[in-house]
Amino acid sequence: MPGLHLTLGMTLLWLGLLVLLPMAAVIARSLGLGPRHFAEVAFSARALAAYRLSFGAALLAAAINAVFGFGIAWVLTRYQFPGKRLASALVDLPFALPTAVAGIALTAIYANTGIIGRPLAAIGIHIAYKPAGVVLALIFIGLPFVVRTVEPVLADLPKDIEEAAATLGASRLAIFARVLLPEVAPALLTGFALAFARGVGEYGSVIFIAGNMPFVSEIAPLLIVTQLEQFDYEGATAIAAVMLAISFAMLAVINFIQARERHWRDGGR
Amino acid sequence: MRAATTEPRAVRALLILIAIGWLALVILLPLFAVFVQAFEKGTGAFVDAILQPDALASIRLTLLTAAIVVPFNCVFGIAAAWAVAKHDFRGRNLLVSLIDLPFSVSPVVAGLMFVLLFGANGWFGPWLMAHGIRIMFAVPAIVIATAFVTFPYVARELIPLMIAQGRAEEEAALTLGANGFQTFWHVTLPNIRWGLLYGVLLTNARAMGEFGAVSVVSGHIRGLTNTMPLHVEVLYNEYNFVGAFAVASLLACLALVTLGAKTLLEWRHRDALAATGH
């Protein structure tokens, strides 16, 4: 097939200039700080609090999304109901809606004057400008990752294994827990990991609703921005390097789950 | 009598209700809120907010950015997919992983990378300054940061599609005497056009809506380096809620058009998109 040199050359050039060179800059700058100074700024008390919030909120949101995302994927693949196509299209909205728009919309709803925030505030529950607001924004952002990863696997499940289990006298719940769930588990885990990875780095939808108090409701990406605004390039770079390392680790984990799943589907059985 | 492989009617109804309820609460309500807030002071206030010079400037900048980034990443995506899907070479899988990399990088970290390259203290900063070239806190940086975050979309749509379609048709065209470009133009492109359109739609939506990466490199200069999402933030922080939500509602319309076109594509051309897993 012709054109390998041309297209591969273009790809490598564009990839090198746009992706690899900038990443090299972050890594080189962090290495330049020296291990002691790097550890000081990358793992300061304020930075640790920010990682904890970014991780904790992303983990919680991904777990909630795993439950509801699985339910939505289940309903969309197995049941018929009016408005199904519209519901399916809506799932993708967080992919298409700019994050800043999502952020101000969620804040408007959950602030103490908002349509949901007001009744909640009356019973003493506050979501906006609290860590709970971060979780809420990440639930919005992460939902389609779970639904869109689980959906094709659920749709492709052969009916005969369920029928066999039913013939052998298994209850519906037992079939779900012991036949269906194990089949879908790798996809569910992948969706969870994708939602989590996206949540850890998310910025636009979170900053409006988070309150952004250092040590309390300040996410790690916001801390990078704050330090940049104060011309603290070393601090910003060190935290960015930590976030980058986490991204690479997550990418490796996701690739590993997917490779295992493929291996298992192709010949493991 | 119900089949042994489905749930009782009541369970089904309950699950459907929970799913729809959750979608309405988590996704529909925020979308609805954008439009309610935008029109809170009436249509006149909405139109006034959109026609503010700064708002119009932000719309122009967003359109300009997308007009530069989308074709660039489109050409790159096609080239990458052609190299990966139609050839075998060592490191092919590594290349695919590298193309996906921008998806897993926080937008803020992406923005910071370009500060480290082009900022006053960056690798190329002093040289650029000496030659009077302005990249940071100007349109070039916004374009570059947007190109980074939208880098994988087209390639990621096309690679699985082109692998699934195989190489037989191209090989036939080449045997019949077509050159490489003719083969691509007359054989490959018609086969991938719907997948390509799909990738372009996603690239465009992300390009127009990107916030984090652009926010770090833009400098937030009103009327000059504020894209629409950044202008939404500026207005919001000034407590100009009608203005913020008015501009936001335009972005929400863009998202709805994207979703509509995407759904239509999936519906009408399911077979042509089959390999992409949507």
Side-chain angles (χ1 to χ4, degrees):
Chain A
M1 199 76 49
L4 176 64
H5 291 288
L6 175 69
T7 53
L8 190 61
M10 281 167 68
T11 307
L12 292 177
L13 181 72
W14 197 225
L15 184 73
L17 288 180
L18 197 61
V19 180
L20 300 181
L21 178 71
M23 285 193 181
V26 176
I27 295 166
R29 282 294 191 97
S30 322
L31 292 176
L33 297 177
R36 276 204 38 204
H37 187 49
F38 178 85
E40 258 168 47
V41 284
F43 303 111
S44 67
R46 187 172 170 187
L48 285 176
Y51 300 137
R52 209 171 299 137
L53 177 65
S54 278
F55 269 85
L59 209 58
L60 185 58
I64 294 171
N65 276 332
V67 174
F68 285 94
F70 181 86
I72 290 167
W74 177 274
V75 165
L76 286 180
T77 48
R78 302 214 146 207
Y79 304 153
Q80 293 302 327
F81 56 93
K84 185 169 147 173
R85 185 166 276 150
L86 182 70
S88 176
L90 263 184
V91 169
D92 280 331
L93 185 77
F95 282 158
L97 192 70
T99 53
V101 177
I104 62 171
L106 288 170
T107 312
I109 295 167
Y110 290 93
N112 287 346
T113 51
I115 180 163
I116 296 185
R118 192 171 11 200
L120 284 181
I123 53 172
I125 299 175
H126 300 276
I127 292 181
Y129 314 122
K130 300 272 183 247
V134 180
V135 178
L136 188 78
L138 297 185
I139 289 174
F140 176 86
I141 291 298
L143 184 63
F145 287 95
V146 176
V147 180
R148 291 298 176 230
T149 319
V150 171
E151 216 180 353
V153 178
L154 267 182
D156 284 348
L157 275 186
K159 270 271 179 196
D160 53 2
I161 52 168
E162 280 175 69
E163 281 160 8
T167 313
L168 294 171
S171 71
R172 194 63 199 142
L173 208 60
I175 294 174
F176 175 77
R178 303 183 54 179
V179 177
L180 294 176
L181 205 53
E183 290 277 331
V184 187
L188 190 58
L189 198 61
T190 306
F192 172 85
L194 287 171
F196 173 72
R198 173 68 198 264
V200 170
E202 177 57 20
Y203 175 71
S205 61
V206 173
I207 53 162
F208 295 99
I209 202 171
N212 305 331
M213 287 268 294
F215 294 99
V216 179
S217 53
E218 179 180 61
I219 54 168
L222 177 69
L223 184 54
I224 295 177
V225 172
T226 309
Q227 291 185 321
L228 271 180
E229 278 167 1
Q230 294 164 353
F231 303 103
D232 180 1
Y233 289 95
E234 295 186 346
T237 307
I239 294 168
V242 172
M243 303 276 302
L244 213 51
I246 293 164
S247 304
F248 291 155
M250 287 303 302
L251 206 60
V253 168
I254 292 166
N255 278 336
F256 177 74
I257 302 171
Q258 281 176 332
R260 282 299 298 269
E261 186 196 2
R262 219 170 296 133
H263 171 75
W264 190 59
R265 288 189 161 274
D266 288 348
R269 267 183 290 160
Chain B
M1 211 185 98
R2 78 187 165 84
T5 50
T6 188
E7 288 71 44
R9 206 186 162 80
V11 175
R12 270 182 290 169
L14 183 70
L15 288 176
I16 291 173
L17 218 61
I18 293 175
I20 291 182
W22 189 254
L23 279 177
L25 178 73
V26 172
I27 289 177
L28 205 52
L29 188 64
L31 183 65
F32 194 59
V34 173
F35 291 101
V36 170
Q37 299 276 335
F39 288 99
E40 204 182 13
K41 301 262 161 68
T43 318
F46 173 85
V47 174
D48 279 351
I50 300 286
L51 293 180
Q52 289 293 315
D54 288 347
L56 290 176
S58 76
I59 294 171
R60 263 197 301 274
L61 181 56
T62 290
L63 292 177
L64 173 71
T65 306
I68 298 171
V69 167
V70 174
F72 252 98
N73 275 341
C74 186
V75 169
F76 155 77
I78 293 172
W82 178 270
V84 167
K86 303 289 179 191
H87 303 88
D88 299 301
F89 52 89
R90 264 205 299 178
R92 209 177 96 163
N93 291 336
L94 178 68
L95 182 62
V96 175
S97 305
L98 287 178
I99 291 171
D100 269 350
L101 213 52
F103 272 152
S104 45
V105 173
S106 171
V108 169
V109 175
L112 172 88
M113 289 174 182
F114 295 106
V115 175
L116 294 182
L117 284 183
F118 304 122
N121 299 312
W123 280 0
F124 308 125
W127 186 88
L128 290 170
M129 206 115 73
H131 290 77
I133 304 170
R134 193 158 177 80
I135 291 186
M136 274 318 284
F137 309 128
V139 177
I142 293 172
V143 170
I144 293 169
T146 308
F148 176 91
V149 293
T150 57
F151 181 79
Y153 284 94
V154 171
R156 177 176 254 206
E157 259 345 290
L158 291 186
I159 288 171
L161 182 64
M162 282 167 74
I163 287 177
Q165 285 173 350
R167 303 171 191 176
E169 289 184 33
E170 281 84 1
E171 275 158 4
L174 291 166
T175 313
L176 293 173
N179 67 29
F181 186 75
Q182 288 170 329
T183 305
F184 168 74
W185 191 257
H186 294 292
V187 177
T188 311
L189 196 59
N191 280 338
I192 60 168
R193 60 186 168 186
W194 299 117
L196 181 62
L197 183 59
Y198 198 98
V200 165
L201 270 176
L202 298 182
T203 306
N204 183 60
R206 182 72 195 265
M208 290 192 173
E210 176 52 25
F211 180 73
V214 171
S215 165
V216 172
V217 300
S218 99
H220 291 91
I221 307 164
R222 280 186 83 132
L224 280 180
T225 65
N226 271 347
T227 59
M228 287 168 78
L230 296 180
H231 195 55
V232 167
E233 183 196 20
V234 168
L235 294 173
Y236 189 86
N237 288 341
E238 288 169 352
Y239 302 101
N240 180 355
F241 294 130
V242 169
F245 279 100
V247 179
S249 71
L250 296 183
L251 289 167
C253 285
L254 167 76
L256 288 177
V257 169
T258 305
L259 278 190
K262 190 168 164 293
T263 308
L264 199 68
L265 268 182
E266 284 164 350
W267 186 33
R268 297 276 295 269
H269 303 285
R270 184 173 284 277
D271 295 337
L273 296 167
T276 60
H278 293 275

